[in-house]
Amino acid sequence: MKNNTVEEIWNELKKAKKVLIPLHPRPDGDSLGSCVAMSYALKKIGIKVELISKDKLSENLNDYNFAKEVKFGKDIEDFNLNDFDFIVFLDHGTLKDYSEKFINDAQVKEKIINIDHHDTNKYYGNFNYVIPNLPSCCSILFNIFEMVGVEFDKEICRRLLLGLCTDTNFGEYGNSADSFEKMAFLIKKGKINFQKEFVNIINSNPWKIKKLHGILLTNMEKRNVGKYTIAYSWATKNEYDKHGLNYSDVRLGIFCMQDIKGIDLVFTLTEMENEIKGSFRSNGLDTTIYSRELGGGGHKQASAFIVDKQDIKKLVDKIIKIIEEKGFVDIDKI
């Protein structure tokens, strides 16, 4: 598994007439930011772009005007892929949410460009650029745009800044020095009112998200494993449906648990139609050693997985057992 060069990928893209860019399932700020930034950069050099998302955004991300560029409720298989020169997957650690027919189509694979920062990425594209030591996909695009001479105007600065702020929690996670340096550049170059345009919007919690927090905090339990303390909770589909929450909203629930004093590792389980979505967060521990065991992946301190629908309490016990068996790995010692 190895990367193509930035030059190889950009030269291929410049030959394209039309490109398809899907946000990843249950999109977050880095998915939205990286996709709309790439779309903007490609349109500026005359390439047509279809920007799509199968799932809706969380309410606060809809406050960004560039979210209106995305066609929501559209899946890859709603399109004739022969109409596109490339399918650009940004911030997709895996393609497991797509159909087997799509994943196994050799002609489709020839069109896939995979740009990502998850260290569990399997280099599934015909062209790959995966940089796991960077904390967001927008961090990677920042470097790519700098290398190929894309102008950092106000619009592209705002789009990239969204991904940096959300995926790093304003520089808290991952390569902090890299994040702060890039955020400072984008704020200054784009003449951005950081507090008003980003801090206030990203940190705002709509009424229904607070209701979700109430569900998770009510269901929350904790266990000790050796010297470590694990907190966990769950939300059933019935519990969050009555508050009008969508899957992207529910993804934000874990934030209400990850800052509890004395807790080393947290996970949440969200019941969906036929699956359960799990999320891990930690304070300096590698969570991917657990998410991989459950068929998922992600970042060291923030990873996720999806399993078939099952009894949530039994799944909690299964996850605790995995944690006990795998132990705890301090990311500072890796």
Side-chain angles (χ1 to χ4, degrees):
M1 297 188 296
K2 67 174 187 176
N3 280 327
N4 297 90
T5 66
V6 167
E7 290 76 17
E8 284 177 303
I9 292 171
W10 196 251
N11 286 337
E12 288 296 321
L13 279 171
K14 286 195 297 185
K15 298 174 191 174
K17 292 181 179 177
K18 193 174 184 182
V19 168
L20 181 65
I21 303 178
L23 277 66
H24 67 55
R26 301 165 294 280
D28 58 11
D30 196 28
S31 178
L32 175 63
S34 58
C35 289
V36 296
M38 178 63 87
S39 174
Y40 182 80
L42 293 178
K43 286 178 179 178
K44 286 194 79 173
I45 57 174
I47 298 168
K48 293 181 180 178
V49 178
E50 284 283 357
L51 197 54
I52 64 170
S53 178
K54 181 174 65 173
D55 297 324
K56 296 178 181 178
L57 294 169
S58 57
E59 189 175 319
N60 56 352
L61 292 181
N62 275 316
D63 288 341
Y64 290 99
N65 59 352
F66 43 70
K68 296 180 178 64
E69 298 171 17
V70 183
K71 293 181 179 178
F72 290 98
K74 294 289 185 181
D75 202 353
I76 283 175
E77 294 183 47
D78 294 331
F79 295 85
N80 181 352
L81 299 182
N82 292 324
D83 293 340
F84 300 93
D85 299 292
F86 291 106
I87 307 165
V88 182
F89 287 100
L90 297 155
D91 200 33
H92 278 71
T94 176
L95 297 185
K96 67 177 292 184
D97 287 293
Y98 298 95
S99 72
E100 290 292 326
K101 179 184 175 184
F102 172 80
I103 293 170
N104 296 324
D105 190 320
Q107 287 184 306
V108 167
K109 184 170 182 179
E110 290 294 312
K111 299 184 177 196
I112 291 178
I113 295 176
N114 165 32
I115 299 174
D116 186 39
H117 68 118
H118 295 93
D119 58 8
T120 50
N121 191 291
K122 301 297 185 184
Y123 295 73
Y124 50 76
N126 189 33
F127 295 93
N128 298 285
Y129 194 69
V130 180
I131 311 295
N133 69 331
L134 289 180
S136 70
C137 194
C138 280
S139 304
I140 297 173
L141 287 190
F142 182 106
N143 291 351
I144 290 173
F145 292 163
E146 197 171 45
M147 284 188 260
V148 301
V150 170
E151 179 191 358
F152 284 84
D153 60 15
K154 181 178 178 64
E155 195 58 41
I156 212 158
C157 287
R158 292 178 69 245
R159 295 168 187 230
L160 292 174
L161 188 57
L162 177 63
L164 275 157
C165 289
T166 53
D167 238 32
T168 71
N169 197 27
F170 297 96
E172 181 181 350
Y173 305 143
N175 190 339
S176 297
D178 180 84
S179 298
F180 286 130
E181 186 177 317
K182 285 173 178 169
M183 286 192 291
F185 173 89
L186 294 170
I187 292 165
K188 185 175 181 180
K189 188 74 174 176
K191 296 182 174 62
I192 291 167
N193 184 331
F194 186 57
Q195 182 72 37
K196 181 180 178 181
E197 296 182 56
F198 286 86
V199 177
N200 291 352
I201 293 175
I202 293 169
N203 286 339
S204 66
N205 280 302
W207 177 265
K208 61 183 180 178
I209 297 296
K210 283 300 185 184
K211 287 288 190 180
L212 172 63
H213 290 173
I215 295 167
L216 291 170
L217 293 173
T218 299
N219 293 340
M220 184 171 62
E221 297 179 0
K222 68 177 180 178
R223 293 192 200 179
N224 292 322
V225 178
K227 67 177 184 178
Y228 296 93
T229 303
I230 303 164
Y232 54 90
S233 190
W234 60 88
T236 67
K237 194 169 188 303
N238 285 339
E239 284 176 313
Y240 66 77
D241 267 355
K242 64 183 180 183
H243 298 299
L245 290 149
N246 63 48
Y247 294 153
S248 295
D249 292 323
V250 173
R251 176 188 52 78
L252 301 173
I254 198 167
F255 289 108
C256 73
M257 294 174 56
Q258 65 186 43
D259 60 352
I260 301 173
K261 185 177 180 180
I263 301 296
D264 302 292
L265 176 70
V266 301
F267 67 86
T268 57
L269 300 172
T270 303
E271 189 179 58
M272 298 190 287
E273 197 69 50
N274 300 304
E275 300 167 321
I276 292 177
K277 166 81 160 50
S279 297
F280 285 104
R281 295 290 187 276
S282 81
N283 182 19
L285 297 174
D286 184 358
T287 68
T288 61
I289 61 175
Y290 318 125
S291 55
R292 282 194 184 104
E293 287 291 308
L294 293 153
H299 317 297
K300 290 283 191 292
Q301 290 178 256
S303 62
F305 61 92
I306 293 177
V307 295
D308 291 337
K309 197 168 181 177
Q310 56 195 276
D311 183 273
I312 284 183
K313 289 292 187 76
K314 289 181 180 178
L315 181 56
V316 166
D317 291 335
K318 178 181 177 181
I319 294 168
I320 296 293
K321 186 176 180 182
I322 288 171
I323 293 169
E324 289 172 337
E325 290 173 350
K326 302 300 290 186
F328 298 89
V329 177
D330 188 329
I331 60 175
D332 290 334
K333 297 178 180 177
I334 297 175

